[in-house]
Every structure is written in C-alpha cells, then in structure tokens.
mmCIF file of all heavy atoms in Angstrom:
data_model
loop_
_atom_site.group_PDB
_atom_site.id
_atom_site.type_symbol
_atom_site.label_atom_id
_atom_site.label_comp_id
_atom_site.label_asym_id
_atom_site.label_seq_id
_atom_site.Cartn_x
_atom_site.Cartn_y
_atom_site.Cartn_z
ATOM 1 N N GLU A 19 -77.474 21.987 -14.077
ATOM 2 C CA GLU A 19 -78.912 21.758 -14.211
ATOM 3 C C GLU A 19 -79.509 22.511 -15.397
ATOM 4 O O GLU A 19 -80.451 22.036 -16.028
ATOM 5 C CB GLU A 19 -79.635 22.195 -12.923
ATOM 6 C CG GLU A 19 -79.401 21.292 -11.731
ATOM 7 C CD GLU A 19 -80.015 19.916 -11.901
ATOM 8 O OE1 GLU A 19 -81.149 19.831 -12.405
ATOM 9 O OE2 GLU A 19 -79.353 18.933 -11.536
ATOM 10 N N THR A 20 -78.975 23.692 -15.715
ATOM 11 C CA THR A 20 -79.608 24.546 -16.735
ATOM 12 C C THR A 20 -78.787 24.716 -18.015
ATOM 13 O O THR A 20 -79.353 24.864 -19.098
ATOM 14 C CB THR A 20 -79.896 25.947 -16.172
ATOM 15 O OG1 THR A 20 -78.660 26.636 -15.935
ATOM 16 C CG2 THR A 20 -80.677 25.859 -14.864
ATOM 17 N N LYS A 21 -77.426 24.738 -17.879
ATOM 18 C CA LYS A 21 -76.531 25.002 -19.025
ATOM 19 C C LYS A 21 -76.931 26.281 -19.766
ATOM 20 O O LYS A 21 -76.810 26.378 -20.977
ATOM 21 C CB LYS A 21 -76.504 23.813 -19.994
ATOM 22 C CG LYS A 21 -75.919 22.540 -19.416
ATOM 23 C CD LYS A 21 -75.839 21.441 -20.451
ATOM 24 C CE LYS A 21 -75.137 20.215 -19.904
ATOM 25 N NZ LYS A 21 -75.873 19.560 -18.828
ATOM 26 N N SER A 22 -77.416 27.258 -19.023
ATOM 27 C CA SER A 22 -77.953 28.484 -19.628
ATOM 28 C C SER A 22 -77.172 29.722 -19.191
ATOM 29 O O SER A 22 -76.938 29.932 -18.000
ATOM 30 C CB SER A 22 -79.427 28.657 -19.234
ATOM 31 O OG SER A 22 -79.894 29.947 -19.548
ATOM 32 N N GLY A 23 -76.793 30.548 -20.169
ATOM 33 C CA GLY A 23 -76.134 31.810 -19.872
ATOM 34 C C GLY A 23 -77.046 32.772 -19.145
ATOM 35 O O GLY A 23 -76.603 33.531 -18.279
ATOM 36 N N VAL A 24 -78.340 32.752 -19.469
ATOM 37 C CA VAL A 24 -79.313 33.633 -18.822
ATOM 38 C C VAL A 24 -79.452 33.277 -17.342
ATOM 39 O O VAL A 24 -79.466 34.164 -16.473
ATOM 40 C CB VAL A 24 -80.687 33.559 -19.526
ATOM 41 C CG1 VAL A 24 -81.744 34.314 -18.728
ATOM 42 C CG2 VAL A 24 -80.596 34.126 -20.931
ATOM 43 N N MET A 25 -79.547 31.974 -17.048
ATOM 44 C CA MET A 25 -79.688 31.541 -15.657
ATOM 45 C C MET A 25 -78.435 31.862 -14.847
ATOM 46 O O MET A 25 -78.521 32.264 -13.683
ATOM 47 C CB MET A 25 -79.978 30.035 -15.597
ATOM 48 C CG MET A 25 -81.302 29.643 -16.227
ATOM 49 S SD MET A 25 -82.738 30.403 -15.393
ATOM 50 C CE MET A 25 -82.921 29.324 -13.993
ATOM 51 N N MET A 26 -77.265 31.709 -15.484
ATOM 52 C CA MET A 26 -76.016 32.085 -14.828
ATOM 53 C C MET A 26 -75.997 33.581 -14.532
ATOM 54 O O MET A 26 -75.538 34.019 -13.475
ATOM 55 C CB MET A 26 -74.819 31.706 -15.707
ATOM 56 C CG MET A 26 -74.482 30.220 -15.716
ATOM 57 S SD MET A 26 -73.928 29.635 -14.101
ATOM 58 C CE MET A 26 -72.390 30.539 -13.923
ATOM 59 N N THR A 27 -76.505 34.361 -15.480
ATOM 60 C CA THR A 27 -76.552 35.819 -15.305
ATOM 61 C C THR A 27 -77.450 36.204 -14.132
ATOM 62 O O THR A 27 -77.092 37.053 -13.311
ATOM 63 C CB THR A 27 -77.054 36.501 -16.594
ATOM 64 O OG1 THR A 27 -76.166 36.183 -17.666
ATOM 65 C CG2 THR A 27 -77.119 38.011 -16.424
ATOM 66 N N ILE A 28 -78.618 35.574 -14.041
ATOM 67 C CA ILE A 28 -79.542 35.844 -12.926
ATOM 68 C C ILE A 28 -78.874 35.519 -11.599
ATOM 69 O O ILE A 28 -78.958 36.291 -10.632
ATOM 70 C CB ILE A 28 -80.845 35.029 -13.083
ATOM 71 C CG1 ILE A 28 -81.620 35.490 -14.322
ATOM 72 C CG2 ILE A 28 -81.721 35.169 -11.829
ATOM 73 C CD1 ILE A 28 -82.807 34.614 -14.663
ATOM 74 N N SER A 29 -78.171 34.392 -11.557
ATOM 75 C CA SER A 29 -77.478 33.968 -10.336
ATOM 76 C C SER A 29 -76.420 34.989 -9.928
ATOM 77 O O SER A 29 -76.302 35.353 -8.751
ATOM 78 C CB SER A 29 -76.825 32.600 -10.562
ATOM 79 O OG SER A 29 -76.038 32.237 -9.459
ATOM 80 N N ILE A 30 -75.660 35.464 -10.903
ATOM 81 C CA ILE A 30 -74.576 36.423 -10.625
ATOM 82 C C ILE A 30 -75.148 37.765 -10.176
ATOM 83 O O ILE A 30 -74.633 38.403 -9.254
ATOM 84 C CB ILE A 30 -73.673 36.569 -11.863
ATOM 85 C CG1 ILE A 30 -72.887 35.267 -12.071
ATOM 86 C CG2 ILE A 30 -72.715 37.752 -11.715
ATOM 87 C CD1 ILE A 30 -72.331 35.099 -13.459
ATOM 88 N N ILE A 31 -76.225 38.193 -10.818
ATOM 89 C CA ILE A 31 -76.869 39.459 -10.430
ATOM 90 C C ILE A 31 -77.382 39.372 -8.996
ATOM 91 O O ILE A 31 -77.198 40.309 -8.203
ATOM 92 C CB ILE A 31 -78.022 39.797 -11.407
ATOM 93 C CG1 ILE A 31 -77.448 40.204 -12.765
ATOM 94 C CG2 ILE A 31 -78.886 40.931 -10.844
ATOM 95 C CD1 ILE A 31 -78.486 40.355 -13.851
ATOM 96 N N CYS A 32 -77.987 38.241 -8.650
ATOM 97 C CA CYS A 32 -78.474 38.047 -7.279
ATOM 98 C C CYS A 32 -77.322 38.052 -6.267
ATOM 99 O O CYS A 32 -77.494 38.464 -5.119
ATOM 100 C CB CYS A 32 -79.239 36.726 -7.170
ATOM 101 S SG CYS A 32 -80.835 36.740 -8.000
ATOM 102 N N GLY A 33 -76.160 37.595 -6.715
ATOM 103 C CA GLY A 33 -75.008 37.535 -5.828
ATOM 104 C C GLY A 33 -74.249 38.846 -5.694
ATOM 105 O O GLY A 33 -73.404 38.982 -4.814
ATOM 106 N N PHE A 34 -74.549 39.816 -6.566
ATOM 107 C CA PHE A 34 -73.809 41.079 -6.550
ATOM 108 C C PHE A 34 -74.670 42.311 -6.297
ATOM 109 O O PHE A 34 -74.243 43.245 -5.607
ATOM 110 C CB PHE A 34 -73.066 41.268 -7.880
ATOM 111 C CG PHE A 34 -71.774 40.524 -7.977
ATOM 112 C CD1 PHE A 34 -71.736 39.248 -8.520
ATOM 113 C CD2 PHE A 34 -70.597 41.092 -7.537
ATOM 114 C CE1 PHE A 34 -70.543 38.555 -8.625
ATOM 115 C CE2 PHE A 34 -69.394 40.410 -7.622
ATOM 116 C CZ PHE A 34 -69.369 39.138 -8.172
ATOM 117 N N LEU A 35 -75.877 42.337 -6.861
ATOM 118 C CA LEU A 35 -76.676 43.563 -6.836
ATOM 119 C C LEU A 35 -77.003 44.050 -5.419
ATOM 120 O O LEU A 35 -76.917 45.259 -5.150
ATOM 121 C CB LEU A 35 -77.963 43.364 -7.651
ATOM 122 C CG LEU A 35 -78.571 44.633 -8.263
ATOM 123 C CD1 LEU A 35 -77.556 45.354 -9.139
ATOM 124 C CD2 LEU A 35 -79.817 44.278 -9.079
ATOM 125 N N PRO A 36 -77.386 43.163 -4.482
ATOM 126 C CA PRO A 36 -77.645 43.649 -3.114
ATOM 127 C C PRO A 36 -76.419 44.321 -2.487
ATOM 128 O O PRO A 36 -76.551 45.304 -1.758
ATOM 129 C CB PRO A 36 -78.035 42.377 -2.356
ATOM 130 C CG PRO A 36 -78.585 41.470 -3.406
ATOM 131 C CD PRO A 36 -77.731 41.730 -4.613
ATOM 132 N N THR A 37 -75.237 43.786 -2.782
ATOM 133 C CA THR A 37 -74.007 44.401 -2.287
ATOM 134 C C THR A 37 -73.862 45.825 -2.819
ATOM 135 O O THR A 37 -73.448 46.739 -2.097
ATOM 136 C CB THR A 37 -72.780 43.562 -2.703
ATOM 137 O OG1 THR A 37 -72.881 42.264 -2.119
ATOM 138 C CG2 THR A 37 -71.481 44.210 -2.235
ATOM 139 N N PHE A 38 -74.227 46.002 -4.089
ATOM 140 C CA PHE A 38 -74.160 47.326 -4.715
ATOM 141 C C PHE A 38 -75.014 48.340 -3.960
ATOM 142 O O PHE A 38 -74.559 49.444 -3.632
ATOM 143 C CB PHE A 38 -74.617 47.223 -6.168
ATOM 144 C CG PHE A 38 -74.920 48.550 -6.811
ATOM 145 C CD1 PHE A 38 -73.899 49.394 -7.210
ATOM 146 C CD2 PHE A 38 -76.230 48.954 -7.012
ATOM 147 C CE1 PHE A 38 -74.177 50.623 -7.795
ATOM 148 C CE2 PHE A 38 -76.520 50.176 -7.601
ATOM 149 C CZ PHE A 38 -75.485 51.012 -7.995
ATOM 150 N N PHE A 39 -76.247 47.975 -3.654
ATOM 151 C CA PHE A 39 -77.156 48.912 -2.989
ATOM 152 C C PHE A 39 -76.757 49.178 -1.534
ATOM 153 O O PHE A 39 -76.966 50.275 -1.013
ATOM 154 C CB PHE A 39 -78.595 48.380 -3.046
ATOM 155 C CG PHE A 39 -79.220 48.495 -4.404
ATOM 156 C CD1 PHE A 39 -79.544 47.349 -5.129
ATOM 157 C CD2 PHE A 39 -79.465 49.733 -4.970
ATOM 158 C CE1 PHE A 39 -80.121 47.451 -6.397
ATOM 159 C CE2 PHE A 39 -80.040 49.844 -6.236
ATOM 160 C CZ PHE A 39 -80.364 48.705 -6.947
ATOM 161 N N LEU A 40 -76.175 48.168 -0.881
ATOM 162 C CA LEU A 40 -75.848 48.304 0.538
ATOM 163 C C LEU A 40 -74.496 48.978 0.785
ATOM 164 O O LEU A 40 -74.302 49.634 1.809
ATOM 165 C CB LEU A 40 -75.867 46.931 1.210
ATOM 166 C CG LEU A 40 -75.806 46.917 2.746
ATOM 167 C CD1 LEU A 40 -77.048 47.581 3.333
ATOM 168 C CD2 LEU A 40 -75.677 45.487 3.254
ATOM 169 N N SER A 41 -73.549 48.835 -0.156
ATOM 170 C CA SER A 41 -72.160 49.258 0.071
ATOM 171 C C SER A 41 -71.986 50.714 0.502
ATOM 172 O O SER A 41 -71.184 50.988 1.408
ATOM 173 C CB SER A 41 -71.319 48.985 -1.181
ATOM 174 O OG SER A 41 -71.159 47.607 -1.359
ATOM 175 N N PRO A 42 -72.684 51.689 -0.106
ATOM 176 C CA PRO A 42 -72.495 53.075 0.362
ATOM 177 C C PRO A 42 -72.853 53.247 1.833
ATOM 178 O O PRO A 42 -72.176 53.982 2.562
ATOM 179 C CB PRO A 42 -73.454 53.880 -0.536
ATOM 180 C CG PRO A 42 -73.686 53.031 -1.722
ATOM 181 C CD PRO A 42 -73.633 51.621 -1.227
ATOM 182 N N PHE A 43 -73.906 52.548 2.282
ATOM 183 C CA PHE A 43 -74.337 52.648 3.676
ATOM 184 C C PHE A 43 -73.411 51.852 4.598
ATOM 185 O O PHE A 43 -73.083 52.309 5.697
ATOM 186 C CB PHE A 43 -75.775 52.162 3.818
ATOM 187 C CG PHE A 43 -76.748 52.917 2.958
ATOM 188 C CD1 PHE A 43 -77.193 52.393 1.750
ATOM 189 C CD2 PHE A 43 -77.199 54.174 3.332
ATOM 190 C CE1 PHE A 43 -78.076 53.097 0.948
ATOM 191 C CE2 PHE A 43 -78.086 54.888 2.539
ATOM 192 C CZ PHE A 43 -78.524 54.353 1.339
ATOM 193 N N SER A 44 -72.974 50.670 4.131
ATOM 194 C CA SER A 44 -72.074 49.861 4.964
ATOM 195 C C SER A 44 -70.715 50.531 5.106
ATOM 196 O O SER A 44 -70.026 50.342 6.112
ATOM 197 C CB SER A 44 -71.923 48.448 4.377
ATOM 198 O OG SER A 44 -71.395 48.489 3.065
ATOM 199 N N GLY A 45 -70.319 51.316 4.103
ATOM 200 C CA GLY A 45 -69.093 52.102 4.225
ATOM 201 C C GLY A 45 -69.206 53.141 5.326
ATOM 202 O O GLY A 45 -68.270 53.344 6.101
ATOM 203 N N VAL A 46 -70.377 53.777 5.418
ATOM 204 C CA VAL A 46 -70.634 54.740 6.502
ATOM 205 C C VAL A 46 -70.626 54.018 7.851
ATOM 206 O O VAL A 46 -70.036 54.496 8.826
ATOM 207 C CB VAL A 46 -71.984 55.468 6.288
ATOM 208 C CG1 VAL A 46 -72.334 56.334 7.500
ATOM 209 C CG2 VAL A 46 -71.940 56.322 5.022
ATOM 210 N N TRP A 47 -71.280 52.845 7.915
ATOM 211 C CA TRP A 47 -71.296 52.067 9.164
ATOM 212 C C TRP A 47 -69.872 51.712 9.603
ATOM 213 O O TRP A 47 -69.558 51.766 10.791
ATOM 214 C CB TRP A 47 -72.109 50.789 8.986
ATOM 215 C CG TRP A 47 -73.551 51.011 8.678
ATOM 216 C CD1 TRP A 47 -74.290 52.130 8.966
ATOM 217 C CD2 TRP A 47 -74.442 50.108 8.016
ATOM 218 N NE1 TRP A 47 -75.581 51.977 8.513
ATOM 219 C CE2 TRP A 47 -75.714 50.747 7.929
ATOM 220 C CE3 TRP A 47 -74.312 48.835 7.480
ATOM 221 C CZ2 TRP A 47 -76.813 50.150 7.335
ATOM 222 C CZ3 TRP A 47 -75.408 48.222 6.885
ATOM 223 C CH2 TRP A 47 -76.651 48.881 6.817
ATOM 224 N N ALA A 48 -69.030 51.332 8.630
ATOM 225 C CA ALA A 48 -67.651 50.942 8.950
ATOM 226 C C ALA A 48 -66.850 52.099 9.528
ATOM 227 O O ALA A 48 -65.878 51.874 10.261
ATOM 228 C CB ALA A 48 -66.955 50.396 7.701
ATOM 229 N N ASP A 49 -67.247 53.320 9.205
ATOM 230 C CA ASP A 49 -66.573 54.499 9.764
ATOM 231 C C ASP A 49 -67.221 54.988 11.059
ATOM 232 O O ASP A 49 -66.575 55.653 11.869
ATOM 233 C CB ASP A 49 -66.555 55.644 8.734
ATOM 234 C CG ASP A 49 -65.539 55.410 7.627
ATOM 235 O OD1 ASP A 49 -64.569 54.674 7.855
ATOM 236 O OD2 ASP A 49 -65.727 55.969 6.529
ATOM 237 N N ARG A 50 -68.489 54.668 11.268
ATOM 238 C CA ARG A 50 -69.213 55.166 12.455
ATOM 239 C C ARG A 50 -69.186 54.186 13.629
ATOM 240 O O ARG A 50 -69.247 54.613 14.789
ATOM 241 C CB ARG A 50 -70.689 55.429 12.095
ATOM 242 C CG ARG A 50 -70.906 56.635 11.207
ATOM 243 C CD ARG A 50 -72.351 56.701 10.737
ATOM 244 N NE ARG A 50 -73.275 57.020 11.805
ATOM 245 C CZ ARG A 50 -73.850 58.227 11.978
ATOM 246 N NH1 ARG A 50 -73.573 59.211 11.151
ATOM 247 N NH2 ARG A 50 -74.696 58.432 12.959
#
C-alpha cells in the first residue's frame, strides 16, 4: 500500500518497542 521505508520502519518499531519496555518486568514475572 505504501512502498515506503519510513512506513515500514514505523510498523517495525510498533512491533518491537513495547516488547523492549516490558521485557525486564516480564523476565521477573517468569521467575516469580
């Protein structure tokens, strides 16, 4: 639909960044 590197970048950031913020806490949950 877009053929845009910027739009692809936004999509990838949305698919990864929340994992980044949650991972330290989810690691603690996995141990607790």
